[in-house]
Amino acid sequence: MRKILFLSLFSIVGFSCTEKKEVQIAIQNDSSFDRSNEIVEVAMSSVTEKLQLNDTATFIIIDAQGQQVPYQITYDGKIIFPANVKANMKSEYVIKPGTPEQFPTMTTGKQYPERVDDIAWENDKIAFRTYGPALQATGERAFGYDIWVKSVSDLVVEDRYAGELNPETKAKIAELKKTDSKAADELYKSVSYHVDHGNGLDCYKVGPTLGGGTAALMVNDSIIYPYCYKSFEILDNGPLRFTVKLEYNPLTVKGDSNIVETRIISLDAGTQLNKTTVSYSNLKENTPIVAGIVLHEPADVCRYVASADKGYIGYADPTDNVNNNNGIIYVGAVFPQALNDAKPVFYSEKEKTNERGGADGQLLAISEYTPDSDFVYYWGAGWSKYGFDTPESWFSYIEEAAAAIQQPLSVTLVK
């Protein structure tokens, strides 16, 4: 696994060599369940002010056992680090002068122009991708987020793309197809990220749907599907948080063709869920907004949960190529506030076949978007072969995640 020295990655303000000051960070958990390795935030400016930091020295964060914990300085001026706090208890951490240890990189992501402008990112639990302008130019209709499952904590996405896209291997496969289709297929399977080579795979089908939790405006019960992103900016790239800002081509909403969507997506280490902030410029009135999960099963066998009051939806997806023993992909979304509604919507046979690539429907969480505001929610996934043995274990995770988001840890700096 790649190692990283915080000093070499970040422009970190530090302590004067002669200063003996330190600051305590008190973290209170008022919820009824333990919070383990949950990323917390402290404003860098507050630490700077309390400790009168200069621009040259370095600092460390110490837990109650005297052990260093990893941290990151984010693009928006926060110190983030993982905290452990028992239910209804408080934990304390200390910032003080020192040289940071080396810690593993646990989140990362990038654009892959060689794979039609995919942006893919991952942490130690799960991986995701979203589609870019080069894919849209091909005419392929893929509106939502894609999910790549993992069965290891190592970072694997870079190697998966390298294997799938290797020019020499692709040329060899093309040549074999002319004379030996079986050998060509075997070689393809040996490098494809659609096959599990011991660390997971891509076995999720998005198609012309909201995929794994995409948000979209809705007018008269019709979803205005976003297409691929127009431009992007990676704001954070590990070791504990990946953040990307995406801007989309203008949408037509209620006759107005100048509605521009912006998304900021962040994935922290140790979680299954991305935090996503969605905003729309030039929108003039309140408009329903949905976050959806594609359903790949008919109504009579579909396994899902949905609670408008508690603010979550979850689904157990049978995966693409079920006969390949790919397990179950668990998908979910949670919301800081109660929803207007949360329910499955199933397609007619005509829409299923002609418009939605064979998908049976979508599980929708419905809320209201107010102009010039941010719609914040969390979406993500898990796998039956890495941490979630049953649908019930995933649904419990989603319900607890919703409760945690609605009752965040309280972080206080104490001089």
Side-chain angles (χ1 to χ4, degrees):
M1 182 178 288
R2 287 178 283 181
K3 301 285 185 176
I4 200 159
L5 183 63
F6 289 109
L7 180 59
S8 67
L9 273 192
F10 304 108
S11 176
I12 300 175
V13 291
F15 293 83
S16 166
C17 295
T18 60
E19 286 285 353
K20 300 299 182 183
K21 294 179 180 179
E22 60 182 36
V23 63
Q24 291 183 339
I25 305 170
I27 304 174
Q28 179 69 40
N29 176 12
D30 292 324
S31 60
S32 60
F33 48 91
D34 296 347
R35 313 288 276 268
S36 300
N37 289 317
E38 184 169 324
I39 298 296
V40 297
E41 301 178 346
V42 179
M44 187 67 198
S45 59
S46 298
V47 175
T48 302
E49 180 181 357
K50 283 183 177 292
L51 295 176
Q52 300 177 357
L53 305 183
N54 63 41
D55 295 335
T56 57
T58 59
F59 65 86
I60 58 177
I61 301 178
I62 301 295
D63 64 16
Q65 290 71 47
Q67 301 298 311
Q68 284 195 36
V69 297
Y71 66 88
Q72 176 180 334
I73 311 299
T74 65
Y75 81 98
D76 52 352
K78 296 183 176 70
I79 304 170
I80 63 171
F81 63 94
N84 294 291
V85 195
K86 294 289 187 180
N88 297 305
M89 298 290 287
K90 180 174 70 175
S91 292
E92 291 187 350
Y93 293 78
V94 172
I95 299 179
K96 64 181 183 179
T99 301
E101 296 176 6
Q102 289 186 338
F103 290 98
T105 296
M106 300 177 71
T107 63
T108 191
K110 61 179 286 188
Q111 187 199 46
Y112 291 86
E114 66 271 33
R115 222 310 294 193
V116 289
D117 293 338
D118 287 356
I119 293 176
W121 65 99
E122 64 180 312
N123 66 4
D124 52 317
K125 301 290 186 180
I126 193 73
F128 306 95
R129 70 172 166 178
T130 192
Y131 301 112
L135 181 76
Q136 183 170 339
T138 70
E140 181 176 342
R141 298 166 71 236
F143 303 145
Y145 299 124
D146 193 17
I147 297 163
W148 285 14
V149 293
K150 296 173 56 172
S151 57
V152 296
S153 61
D154 298 346
L155 301 177
V156 300
V157 168
E158 183 79 10
D159 288 343
R160 288 188 191 178
Y161 272 111
E164 178 91 7
L165 302 176
N166 182 282
E168 294 181 2
T169 305
K170 290 175 69 175
K172 180 65 174 178
I173 292 170
E175 190 65 27
L176 281 172
K177 284 182 177 179
K178 300 175 183 177
T179 58
D180 191 338
S181 59
K182 182 178 179 180
D185 185 58
E186 289 177 352
L187 180 56
Y188 168 74
K189 289 179 179 178
S190 73
V191 297
S192 173
Y193 53 59
H194 294 285
V195 176
D196 187 355
H197 301 292
N199 60 34
L201 72 162
D202 171 20
C203 54
Y204 187 70
K205 187 175 181 180
V206 177
T209 74
L210 295 174
T214 306
L217 295 174
M218 185 169 66
V219 176
N220 298 327
D221 294 330
S222 293
I223 295 172
I224 303 174
Y225 286 93
Y227 215 156
C228 302
Y229 71 86
K230 176 184 177 183
S231 61
F232 78 100
E233 180 182 3
I234 292 177
L235 304 176
D236 294 313
N237 205 354
L240 297 177
R241 174 175 292 173
F242 170 82
T243 305
V244 62
K245 180 179 180 181
L246 304 172
E247 186 171 298
Y248 288 77
N249 289 299
L251 299 168
T252 298
V253 181
K254 299 179 181 178
D256 191 334
S257 60
N258 193 36
I259 309 303
V260 176
E261 177 183 359
T262 300
R263 303 179 201 170
I264 297 177
I265 304 170
S266 291
L267 179 65
D268 288 347
T271 181
Q272 310 290 143
L273 304 177
N274 298 271
K275 178 182 179 181
T276 300
T277 301
V278 180
S279 61
Y280 297 91
S281 64
N282 305 316
L283 195 65
K284 295 180 176 61
E285 58 185 85
N286 287 5
T287 304
I289 188 170
V290 299
I293 297 168
V294 60
L295 301 176
H296 291 124
E297 294 173 307
D300 58 342
V301 298
C302 186
R303 293 161 295 174
Y304 71 91
V305 292
S307 174
D309 291 339
K310 294 182 178 179
Y312 64 80
I313 56 175
Y315 173 55
D317 190 290
T319 77
D320 200 14
N321 296 323
V322 176
N323 294 331
N324 288 352
N325 192 30
N326 289 332
I328 302 294
I329 294 179
Y330 299 115
V331 194
V334 301
F335 305 84
Q337 295 88 26
L339 301 164
N340 293 346
D341 202 358
K343 62 183 180 181
V345 175
F346 292 93
Y347 301 132
S348 67
E349 194 62 34
K350 180 179 179 181
E351 182 173 5
K352 172 182 175 177
T353 303
N354 297 338
E355 296 294 329
R356 302 296 159 216
D360 287 274
Q362 295 187 113
L363 182 61
L364 300 179
I366 304 171
S367 190
E368 190 86 0
Y369 179 79
T370 302
D372 302 319
S373 70
D374 292 333
F375 177 69
V376 179
Y377 74 109
Y378 299 74
W379 61 274
W383 195 28
S384 61
K385 297 187 178 185
Y386 191 46
F388 298 97
D389 296 334
T390 64
E392 289 70 29
S393 65
W394 174 251
F395 297 153
S396 294
Y397 177 87
I398 288 296
E399 183 171 3
E400 188 171 285
I405 288 166
Q406 293 165 9
Q407 192 170 31
L409 296 172
S410 174
V411 182
T412 306
L413 268 63
V414 183
K415 185 67 177 284

